[in-house]
């Protein structure tokens, strides 16, 4: 199943099966962000980072590894923004983030063979640690039972995200739109609307759920969808007037 136009045509009113989506209005389709929404990207990144960096940082304690992971996943996202803007390749931004994290602890990742080996090993290991959050399968099961099509729209390239979904046991998500699908990233309306088109729904009857308040909740809403902020960590934002949930399970009755 997982999001075909034929299913959309068969979808009736909201709330079929075990669903309790009435509070969101008429819902005939659901689109999800992927990273840190469907899959625990932070876990896979930090675990692989430690595997490939332990020989460079012998004796680093738990607090140090936590800081190392935080720099890579949260404090160097400007490099990823430059990748999205076309200024860096995917591997270039990944290597720059790794260098920044290692550099914080006084380790310089040398150009050439050392950088290539570090990057290659990280790229090999990271997909093996990708896992879906516990609240994902029950929601997808309920969507399947209700006949509501679903898919994913991501700020990364299609093939890389396809591998990630499949590695996490989410191959049933067949509708997948990446930045290379339409040539623009979120929050450009075109990327959300391509997801809607592939579901065979209408924007105003399609939920978009993601962990990034600006790109997912606000961006999708601006594109005409019903954006929902998945705030797993309980972040407090003054003045946010949109819809917010702390778990995907909140979509269920």
């Amino acid at each position: 199943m997982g999001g075909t136009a034929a299913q959309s045509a068969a979808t009736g009113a909201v709330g079929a099966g075990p669903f309790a989506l009435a509070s969101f209005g008429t819902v005939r389709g659901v689109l999800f962000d992927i990273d840190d929404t469907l899959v625990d990207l932070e876990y896979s990144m930090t675990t692989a980072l430690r595997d490939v960096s332990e020989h460079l940082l012998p004796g680093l304690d738990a607090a140090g590894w936590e800081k190392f992971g935080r720099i890579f996943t949260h404090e160097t996202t400007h490099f990823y923004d430059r990748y999205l803007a076309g200024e860096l390749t995917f591997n270039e931004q990944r290597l720059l983030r790794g260098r920044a994290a290692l550099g914080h602890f006084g380790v310089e990742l040398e150009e050439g063979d050392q950088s290539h080996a570090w990057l290659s090993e990280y790229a090999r290991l990271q997909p093996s640690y990708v896992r879906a959050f516990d609240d994902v399968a029950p929601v997808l099961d309920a969507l399947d039972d209700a006949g509501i099509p679903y898919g994913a729209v991501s700020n990364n390239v299609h093939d890389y995200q396809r591998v990630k979904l499949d590695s996490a046991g989410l191959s049933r998500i067949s509708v997948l739109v990446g930045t290379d699908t339409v040539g623009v990233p979120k929050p450009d309306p075109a990327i959300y609307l391509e997801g809607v088109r592939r579901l065979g729904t209408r924007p105003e009857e399609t939920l978009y759920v993601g962990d990034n308040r600006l790109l997912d909740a606000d961006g999708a809403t601006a594109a005409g969808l019903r954006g929902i902020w998945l705030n797993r960590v309980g972040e407090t934002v003054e003045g946010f007037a949109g819809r917010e949930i702390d778990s995907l399970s909140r979509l269920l009755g």
Side-chain angles (χ1 to χ4, degrees):
M1 192 162 174
T4 66
Q7 290 163 341
S8 175
T11 301
V14 179
F19 257 74
L21 292 176
S23 63
F24 298 103
T26 301
V27 177
R28 301 189 189 279
V30 182
L31 291 167
F32 298 96
D33 172 56
I34 295 176
D35 295 330
D36 292 319
T37 296
L38 296 175
V39 304
D40 191 346
L41 179 64
E42 186 163 350
Y43 169 81
S44 68
M45 291 170 73
T46 55
T47 305
L49 282 170
R50 182 164 183 169
D51 280 357
V52 302
S53 305
E54 276 186 314
H55 69 290
L56 299 172
L57 296 167
L60 190 64
D61 60 15
W65 284 115
E66 184 179 348
K67 176 63 176 176
F68 184 89
R70 189 163 61 249
I71 293 170
F72 188 90
T73 58
H74 295 292
E75 297 177 17
T76 55
T77 53
H78 56 285
F79 290 126
Y80 192 79
D81 292 338
R82 290 178 61 192
Y83 156 67
L84 290 175
E87 298 173 11
L88 297 171
T89 67
F90 185 75
N91 280 336
E92 283 172 344
Q93 64 85 25
R94 181 178 267 177
L95 185 57
L96 286 169
R97 294 168 79 174
R99 283 197 173 122
L102 289 164
H104 178 83
F105 296 94
V107 174
E108 181 180 355
L109 197 60
E110 297 175 3
E111 298 280 356
D113 291 345
Q114 188 183 40
S115 289
H116 177 75
W118 185 92
L119 190 62
S120 297
E121 186 66 359
Y122 176 79
R124 184 184 71 82
L125 287 174
Q126 191 258 334
S128 69
Y129 290 117
V130 172
R131 61 186 186 184
F133 287 104
D134 291 342
D135 56 4
V136 175
V139 169
L140 298 187
D141 289 344
L143 286 169
D144 284 335
D145 291 344
I148 296 175
Y150 53 85
V153 173
S154 171
N155 256 11
N156 210 321
V157 294
H158 175 279
D159 290 354
Y160 179 70
Q161 296 300 74
R162 180 74 267 164
V163 171
K164 192 179 292 179
L165 288 175
D166 294 347
S167 298
L170 300 176
S171 57
R172 59 172 148 170
I173 299 178
S174 58
V175 171
L176 171 58
V177 176
T179 53
D180 54 337
T181 306
V182 290
V184 293
K186 296 181 288 186
D188 191 297
I191 193 168
Y192 311 98
L193 295 176
E194 177 62 13
V196 171
R197 186 190 71 80
R198 293 186 179 209
L199 291 187
T201 57
R202 294 189 297 181
E204 66 273 16
E205 297 179 342
T206 306
L207 298 185
Y208 187 89
V209 187
D211 70 297
N212 187 302
R213 176 178 56 87
L214 297 175
L215 296 182
D216 298 326
D218 292 345
T221 299
L225 289 74
R226 298 171 184 262
I228 301 173
W229 180 25
L230 175 60
N231 184 8
R232 292 188 181 277
V233 298
E235 181 184 354
T236 301
V237 176
E238 227 177 288
F240 177 65
R243 300 299 296 266
E244 178 183 346
I245 56 177
D246 60 5
S247 168
L248 293 178
S249 62
R250 301 297 184 189
L251 298 175
L252 303 176

